[in-house]
Amino acid sequence: MFKSIFLKEWLKIKYPLFFLLIFSIIILSYFAFDLNFQFSTIEPESMMWYRFIHLEHKPHFILYYFYLFVGIIVATSQFLPEIIQKRVKVTLHLPLNIFQNIFLHLLIGIIFICSIITLFSISLLRIISDYYPKEIVQVVFEDSLFFSLISLLTYILISLIIMEQNRIKQLLKTVFTLLVLFYFGFQGSFEKEFHKYYIFYSDILDEFVYQKNFGEHRFEYGIKDKKTFSQKEYESYLPFVYYRDLEIQKKLPIQIKNISYDANEIKNSKLGFEYNYKMLKKKEVELYPLFNPHSNIGMIKFPEEVFGIFKDGAKVYDFDNDLLKTKSKELNEKLKELNFSYPAKNIWGKTTNIKPFDLGYLILDNKNRLFNLKKENDKITIKEINYPKDEEIVHINISENRQQKLSAYAIDKNSNFYLLTWDFEFIKLDLKEFDYKNMRLKLIADPLHYLIRYDDGNSYFAAIFSKENYKKIKEEKWD
């Protein structure tokens, strides 16, 4: 019986399958041509790896729609003629109950789909493997499995819609199918952050001042539980924030607490760090650009080489040679000299070359020891960094800057917050009710203070700290 049904279905959809095969060849040919063009016109080629890993610009993601298309074409080609030509009743007279009948027809469709998408996926992986290291190829393989499941799910849902005789149920199934496909196709595309309060500290008033956002560009300005004022007054209380306006208006330098500040002093004091709990999400591929600044060249070039530290050791890649065995061996030897425990739990660093200096990466090994790895003038150096060993670090954000006073911030599993000096000394700050798992945070420096504001979308906090001794001066909460 299965053989008879299979032959019947094959005769019915062999031409659509042939069309899908030809179409897949055209799509893959264009994909290979375009990928080759991108790699041949970008410099260095490792920038394409960086875009894939750190910017999540995956060139193969557009092929998701081909997988959807396969499911739709097979479903409509297999079942729509049965409905249009009213052959459903004939099919139901086969010596099988209705569930067995539907199951066998769906199974045959699944076999056809698997044949097409398997050939397509193997060809895709072959193309990708010519340009990317195996760690990225593994991600593409996993994505292709996900796309294949979506293709099969699409096929089953579309088939059930076509076979449904009840119009109301058919409409409900259609809506459900569209919602499922929309969810998988556009998940996260419409996420938008909303800040109810923007909080600053006024050194003129010695008070926190806020801008409250009601949406649709409607705002309120004021001091909590005291008074509100106009936007113009609000800006006048924040000369370190709106100093450019004062400069244009020829109102600088300005006197604050008997000290004069000009535009350059204010500008040079500026520093900002940001944190969002979404930053805790680990990269699918743990490969990082291995920057190599030279003391006789002013600009930090984007490197040819990338590195990662895995369970089986450290690996260094470049585009032309793939795995660099000699350099990988040298890196592993340096790590073993320091008794580094594989694999690395986390690697933190600024992965762009748009920075005035390169401090390298802070790497947490499998035994929670922290190391600084950097390459300079073609030489890799690694040193262990001391930090509060009773706390497990969950996140570090390095941000090289011209002030060379603070290099980063760190957060541990108990939501303690630390500033890191240029030499990676940990300085703990007291942030009341801070929870790294669901909060976002921003540090803003001005000539007098460090302002840290953080929130979970409902409760908003702000605190200012001395730039001299990092002691908390004042804090406040808004709900």
Side-chain angles (χ1 to χ4, degrees):
M1 182 58 65
F2 176 80
K3 185 177 180 181
S4 300
I5 296 176
F6 183 90
L7 182 60
K8 175 177 75 73
E9 296 302 297
W10 164 251
L11 293 173
K12 184 167 51 178
I13 65 172
K14 61 181 180 180
Y15 293 115
L17 290 176
F18 181 71
F19 163 75
L20 287 173
L21 183 61
I22 298 300
F23 190 44
S24 69
I25 293 172
I26 294 171
I27 288 177
L28 286 170
S29 298
Y30 178 78
F31 177 79
F33 170 80
D34 183 63
L35 194 62
N36 181 70
F37 176 79
Q38 291 187 58
F39 270 91
S40 61
T41 54
I42 199 168
E43 188 177 328
E45 293 92 343
S46 60
M47 180 67 75
M48 288 289 290
W49 299 357
Y50 165 78
R51 291 173 62 186
F52 188 107
I53 298 168
H54 298 280
L55 302 181
E56 296 188 352
H57 291 173
K58 298 181 177 181
H60 67 286
F61 246 54
I62 190 66
L63 301 178
Y64 165 79
Y65 297 102
F66 175 78
Y67 287 82
L68 281 182
F69 185 66
V70 170
I72 294 170
I73 289 296
V74 173
T76 53
S77 301
Q78 188 178 5
F79 294 104
L80 205 55
E82 304 287 337
I83 300 299
I84 294 173
Q85 299 175 23
K86 299 181 179 180
R87 296 200 301 255
V88 176
K89 291 183 179 180
V90 176
T91 303
L92 293 177
H93 280 87
L94 293 171
L96 297 168
N97 65 49
I98 187 170
F99 296 108
Q100 291 175 327
N101 203 335
I102 292 173
F103 173 77
L104 283 179
H105 281 78
L106 289 176
L107 178 61
I108 291 167
I110 289 172
I111 291 172
F112 290 145
I113 290 174
C114 287
S115 300
I116 293 291
I117 60 179
T118 298
L119 289 172
F120 186 85
S121 298
I122 291 173
S123 302
L124 170 63
L125 292 171
R126 179 66 186 85
I127 294 169
I128 290 291
S129 65
D130 286 338
Y131 297 92
Y132 292 96
K134 67 177 185 179
E135 286 80 7
I136 292 181
V137 176
Q138 176 66 29
V139 171
V140 178
F141 171 70
E142 292 169 0
D143 287 342
S144 67
L145 288 180
F146 173 73
F147 294 167
S148 300
L149 290 174
I150 295 299
S151 179
L152 294 174
L153 179 62
T154 302
Y155 163 74
I156 292 171
L157 291 174
I158 296 294
S159 299
L160 293 177
I161 290 171
I162 294 172
M163 289 187 287
E164 180 59 61
Q165 300 296 303
N166 185 297
R167 295 303 180 191
I168 295 177
K169 290 182 179 179
Q170 190 177 55
L171 178 61
L172 292 174
K173 288 180 179 180
T174 302
V175 172
F176 175 76
T177 299
L178 291 174
L179 289 174
V180 169
L181 297 181
F182 183 83
Y183 174 78
F184 286 114
F186 300 95
Q187 188 178 10
S189 300
F190 301 100
E191 291 182 5
K192 187 177 180 180
E193 288 194 350
F194 179 79
H195 292 264
K196 185 178 179 181
Y197 288 99
Y198 290 95
I199 303 160
F200 291 95
Y201 187 77
S202 170
D203 291 292
I204 294 176
L205 300 175
D206 282 330
E207 293 275 10
F208 288 105
V209 295
Y210 67 82
Q211 173 186 298
K212 187 175 182 180
N213 184 5
F214 293 98
E216 298 180 355
H217 209 69
R218 294 180 295 116
F219 304 103
E220 176 186 274
Y221 306 90
I223 301 172
K224 181 185 176 184
D225 300 331
K226 291 186 178 180
K227 65 176 181 177
T228 60
F229 33 73
S230 68
Q231 179 182 356
K232 188 174 181 180
E233 287 179 288
Y234 170 79
E235 293 176 359
S236 71
Y237 296 143
L238 299 171
F240 293 150
V241 177
Y242 297 99
Y243 76 95
R244 293 188 184 277
D245 293 343
L246 297 176
E247 185 179 20
I248 293 170
Q249 296 163 13
K250 308 296 183 184
K251 293 181 179 179
L252 291 180
I254 187 171
Q255 290 276 336
I256 297 179
K257 297 181 179 178
N258 299 319
I259 301 176
S260 179
Y261 298 96
D262 62 24
N264 285 331
E265 288 175 307
I266 298 172
K267 180 181 177 181
N268 292 335
S269 73
K270 292 291 182 180
L271 180 67
F273 292 144
E274 289 194 54
Y275 168 76
N276 191 309
Y277 61 91
K278 296 176 183 178
M279 297 167 70
L280 297 172
K281 180 183 176 183
K282 296 198 72 170
K283 302 295 181 186
E284 288 184 281
V285 181
E286 296 286 320
L287 288 174
Y288 299 85
L290 188 55
F291 295 100
N292 182 27
H294 286 75
S295 54
N296 61 343
I297 299 176
M299 181 180 176
I300 300 174
K301 294 182 178 180
F302 198 87
E304 295 275 359
E305 298 172 356
V306 300
F307 81 100
I309 304 177
F310 307 100
K311 189 174 182 179
D312 56 345
K315 298 178 182 179
V316 181
Y317 291 95
D318 75 4
F319 178 76
D320 294 323
N321 304 290
D322 197 36
L323 179 65
L324 301 174
K325 294 183 179 180
T326 301
K327 291 188 176 182
S328 297
K329 182 180 178 181
E330 291 174 358
L331 179 54
N332 279 297
E333 287 174 351
K334 288 180 179 290
L335 290 169
K336 288 176 181 177
E337 286 175 4
L338 295 170
N339 296 316
F340 186 92
S341 179
Y342 298 92
K345 280 188 174 181
N346 269 302
I347 299 177
W348 296 289
K350 195 169 185 177
T351 56
T352 173
N353 63 321
I354 304 175
K355 51 187 175 182
F357 309 99
D358 178 49
L359 292 174
Y361 295 90
L362 289 176
I363 303 171
L364 194 68
D365 80 353
N366 201 41
K367 293 183 178 178
N368 293 326
R369 294 167 66 207
L370 190 64
F371 297 86
N372 174 224
L373 180 153
K374 68 176 180 178
K375 186 176 183 180
E376 190 174 19
N377 295 317
D378 300 321
K379 182 181 179 182
I380 291 179
T381 59
I382 306 173
K383 64 179 180 180
E384 186 170 1
I385 303 297
N386 292 319
Y387 75 99
K389 287 294 193 301
D390 55 332
E391 302 292 353
E392 182 179 339
I393 300 298
V394 295
H395 184 70
I396 295 176
N397 184 285
I398 297 177
S399 183
E400 294 91 342
N401 55 84
R402 297 192 182 278
Q403 295 178 22
Q404 298 187 50
K405 185 177 181 181
L406 297 178
S407 63
Y409 67 79
I411 301 170
D412 67 29
K413 65 179 180 181
N414 293 319
S415 293
N416 294 313
F417 184 86
Y418 305 84
L419 290 178
L420 275 63
T421 67
W422 199 251
D423 295 321
F424 299 125
E425 176 189 353
F426 280 63
I427 301 169
K428 186 177 179 180
L429 300 186
D430 177 23
L431 296 184
K432 181 181 178 182
E433 297 184 49
F434 175 64
D435 185 351
Y436 78 91
K437 294 179 182 178
N438 59 12
M439 284 187 164
R440 52 197 174 186
L441 175 149
K442 186 166 187 175
L443 179 147
I444 302 171
D446 64 31
L448 294 174
H449 307 111
Y450 293 120
L451 166 68
I452 298 182
R453 59 192 192 200
Y454 51 102
D455 71 274
D456 61 4
N458 296 310
S459 297
Y460 289 72
F461 302 81
I464 56 167
F465 295 83
S466 167
K467 295 186 80 170
E468 300 299 323
N469 56 20
Y470 304 100
K471 298 296 183 183
K472 186 190 295 183
I473 298 171
K474 198 171 186 177
E475 65 182 353
E476 206 156 318
K477 178 181 179 181
W478 289 257
D479 290 310

